[in-house]
Structure formats: C-alpha cells, structure tokens
Amino acid sequence: MISGERGTAWVIDALGCDPALLRAVEPIAALFERIVRDLELHPLGPPQWHVFPGAGGLTGVFMLRESHLTCHTFPERGFAALDLYCCRERGEWPWASNLAELLGAHDVSVRSLRRG
C-alpha cells in the first residue's frame, strides 16, 4: 500500500439477478461468507439483516475488522448493490463469475476507489 493510503472501497452493481435469490437471506449470506473466506476478512460478529415485506428485497451489513461489507437488493429490478471497504490491501476477486454463480447476475459492474 502506498504511504498515506487507507484501503480500497469496491462498489459493485449486479444486474439480471434471479429475483427469488434477492428476496432470501440464505443466498446473500452465502455470498457474504464466500467473500469473507476468499479475501481472508475478519467478521466482528454475525451479519445483520433486514428483510423488506412482501416482494421486497433485503439489506445486509457485515461489520469487519477491516471495515464493512453491505448489500441491498431490489428483486423487482433483478439488481443487487454491494459495497466492500477494506483498510488492508486485497487482491482482485472474481465478482462477475461469483455473482453469476450465486445470484444469477448477467451484468456486473465493479468500481474500486483507493481511499486516503
């Protein structure tokens, strides 16, 4: 990490996801677990979930020693918005293939921002 940097933030938009998967905690929890495992992150406790009523989606937040991982889903649009901030350097993660596998995403946009 370059002197003065304070980590990287990733902003991920997953489009074309299976709406049923975006309404249930289990698929998003599995995604969170894979991200945490693969990137060797350190949760400070279990993720917190809010499931919106009816055909709504959900919001998930995972507090990490490195910072946080969040997801907000919009089943009516087949869209999942994820944010990951890490204060330590991490390698690239295959967002597109993993989101296709776990959520059925057809189009994934990943933007990264160096912080600090």
Side-chain angles (χ1 to χ4, degrees), residues 39-90:
L39 293 176
E40 298 178 358
L41 302 172
H42 302 90
L44 296 175
Q48 298 295 305
W49 304 103
H50 174 77
V51 179
F52 292 90
L58 59 88
T59 295
V61 177
F62 218 161
M63 297 298 297
L64 307 168
R65 188 169 71 196
E66 296 82 3
S67 193
H68 65 270
L69 170 62
T70 65
C71 182
H72 191 77
T73 68
F74 301 84
E76 71 279 8
R77 294 178 26 211
F79 173 61
L82 294 106
D83 295 291
L84 172 61
Y85 177 66
C86 288
C87 62
R88 294 187 303 135
E89 188 68 27
R90 292 286 183 252

Side-chain angles (χ1 to χ4, degrees), residues 24-37:
V25 169
E26 293 78 13
I28 306 302
L31 173 63
F32 274 24
E33 291 299 326
R34 182 167 307 172
I35 293 168
V36 165
R37 181 193 70 223

Side-chain angles (χ1 to χ4, degrees), residues 1 5-13 39 64 66-70 82-92 95 109-116:
M1 197 175 289
E5 280 189 19
R6 298 291 181 245
T8 303
W10 289 271
V11 177
I12 303 96
D13 292 342
L39 293 176
L64 307 168
E66 296 82 3
S67 193
H68 65 270
L69 170 62
T70 65
L82 294 106
D83 295 291
L84 172 61
Y85 177 66
C86 288
C87 62
R88 294 187 303 135
E89 188 68 27
R90 292 286 183 252
E92 293 296 318
W95 293 99
S109 168
V110 178
R111 292 165 287 182
S112 64
L113 172 67
R114 295 278 189 188
R115 302 300 302 265

